[in-house]
Structure formats: structure tokens, C-alpha cells
Amino acid sequence: MTARRPDEPHRSTTTLELFFDLCFVVAVAQAAGNLHHAVSEGHVGMAAGHYAMVFFAIWWAWMNFTWFASAYDTDDDVYRITTLVEISGALILAAGVPRAFTEEDFTTITFGYVVMRLAAVAHWIRAAAGDPAHRAAASRYAVGVVLVQVGWLVRLALPDGWGVVSFVVLVIAELLVPALAERPGMTPWHPRHIVERYGLFTLIVLGEVVLATSLAVQTGVDAGDTHLWSVAASGAIIVYALWWLYFDRPVEMSTQLRRSLFWGYGHYLIFSSVAAVGAGLAVEVDHERGDGHISGVTAGYAVAVPVAVYLFTLWALHVRRQQRSRLAAVFPATAVLVLLAPLGPVPVPLVAVLLFLLVAVTVLARRVNATADPTAATVSTGSDDAAS
């Protein structure tokens, strides 16, 4: 297994990577669906905590495969088989999501997660053997991942009171592995390829939101609740706006380790908040139909909170450095207004209106900037100043 060039021209996502993403969306759908049902039943705090834990397992395994494939995708038989084992682990994880939410039993999820991560170790061992220039980094990855997986298995035997503390400790350990492994010399991941992969997964998660919202509204309409069309229309505008804002400008990415990790890690909030928007819209449908056991304010916040998290994170990762002007402050300001929307009579339509206005402002700002500086560069991937 040899390294690929980080400046390789015309590098694009492979069919195996797309298949990997689509299979992982099964786990995303399970997490969002169980979040929806738990919140509708009034278990808001428990649902949020379990969702954050489950989504971390999904996102972290996806992210590590994505960055490894960017550097070492050889597309040989061994690589394909090992990747299919990772996908199998994701399916095992997805099967354990309902029990994690209803019984707080993370055994199946842990087993699926460990399968995914140990398959990744096989990748790193091959990379260490075939790429002497980056052998130190690959070896550190392999050893670090194995040690943390032992920790996850040990966690299953700990008393219930240690669950949250042990989870936080192991998450920190997982996040430290790439930061420490890349220190001897970064693996040759491809900046433009990474940006494309993250964008594609964002699209796939947005598609899952559209499906979840459509099914929820369909259930209500079939039962005779035609007034739910306003929720459907608002949900559509929200999803369209989330897509527009993420892909409004070409994404810039730094090759500095600290900034690239910040960008990569920050997408946990992007992906998880987008999926949670779908769950929130389904909660709103339940509330409108009288099937939920929560107040209208709580149902509104089921949509408003993930939308606000998305806007804050998008501002921190993309907008803050790409738009060095006062207009960049519109994103966090809109996020604050979104958080106030559930206090009004029609929270979801109000969130949709706020996002529509934010899109309008960004479009106007882009046109003004283009008129003022038509020769400005739009993409940068290697300079110290480029980071998002």
C-alpha cells in the first residue's frame, strides 16, 4: 500500500467511498429516528445525551476512513474487503441504536464500533509497511486505535455510574490519536478530496432529513391533518437554506495540522445538527397532530436548537475566515434569533423565514463582493491563511 500524492490532479470520490457513505446513513437514520421518538415522548435530556454519544461513534469512524482513504486508497482487493468489514461494523452499530435509546444498553453499538475501528487498524498496518516515509505516523495510528478500542470494551464492564465519565475520557483519547500520530509528518491526504468528501456526506445527511420530514408529514396527511402542509413547506425551506449556506462559496482548507483538525472535528456538529433537524421536524409534526407529550415550545426548540448549532458551526468553520467583514456576524446573529423563535406562536415557519433572509443576505453580499473585486481568488488549499 503506497501513499497517494496530496496534489494529485482530478482527484475525486470513488464508488467505494460513496457506497461507504450510503451504508453509514443507515446508522444516521437510526440515530435521528430514535432521537425523534424519545423527544416526542418527553425524554429530552436523555435523548440529547444518547444522540450525541451514538452520533460520535458514527461520525468518528466515517471521518477516520475518509482521511485514510484520501491518503492511501489503493483500491486493491484487500483494501476493498477491509472497507466492507468497516461497513459491516456500521450496520452492527445501527442495529444497536434502538436499544441504546430505550434501555441505555450500548453493548451492540460498542461491538459494531470496535469492528469498524479494528478494520481501520488493518489499513494502518498496511500503510506502515508500504509507505516508509510515513511509517511513524501510520504506526502511531495503529497502536493508538488499538489501545482506545480496548478502553471501549473495558467500559462495558464498568458500573453504570461511570458511563458518562468513561465516555468523555475515551472520546478525548480518540481525538488525541490523530493529533499525536500526525506529528512526525502528516500523512499525504488530499485537501480538495477531503473537502469534496465532507460536502458529499453533508448532502447525504440533508437527503435523509428530507426523507424523514416527508414521511412524518405523509403520516399526518394520511390521517387527515392537511394543515401540516405548512410544516412541510417550512421544513423544505429550512433544508434548502441549510444546503445553500453550506455550499454558498468554495470551501477553503488549510494544510496546517491544527487548523485542518479544527475543520475536520468541527463537522461533527455540522453532520449531527443537520440530522437532528430532521428529527426536530418530525417532533413538530407529532406535536401538531397531538401525538407528542411535549409543549409547543419544546417542539419548536427541537428544530431551533440544531439549526442554531448548524449556523454557529458553519460560521466558525467557513464564514468567519472567508468573509472578513461585518456581514459575517449575520450568521451568529441569525442563530440567536432562531433560538428565540420557539417563544413565538409559529416557531418552525419563523425559523424558515429567518433562514430565507440569511440566504438572501449572503447572496447579496456575494454579488457586492464580486462587483467590487471581480479578480479575487475563490479557492485556496495550501496557504497558512487559508483555513475553514
Side-chain angles (χ1 to χ4, degrees), residues 161-185:
W162 288 85
V164 175
V165 174
S166 59
F167 176 82
V168 172
V169 170
L170 288 168
V171 165
I172 294 173
E174 290 277 19
L175 297 176
L176 286 175
V177 169
L180 297 176
E182 297 278 353
R183 292 291 178 184

Side-chain angles (χ1 to χ4, degrees), residues 284 296-297 300-301 337-350:
E284 179 66 20
V297 173
Y301 273 115
L337 293 176
V338 165
L339 289 175
L340 295 176
L343 303 179
V346 284
V348 175
L350 182 54

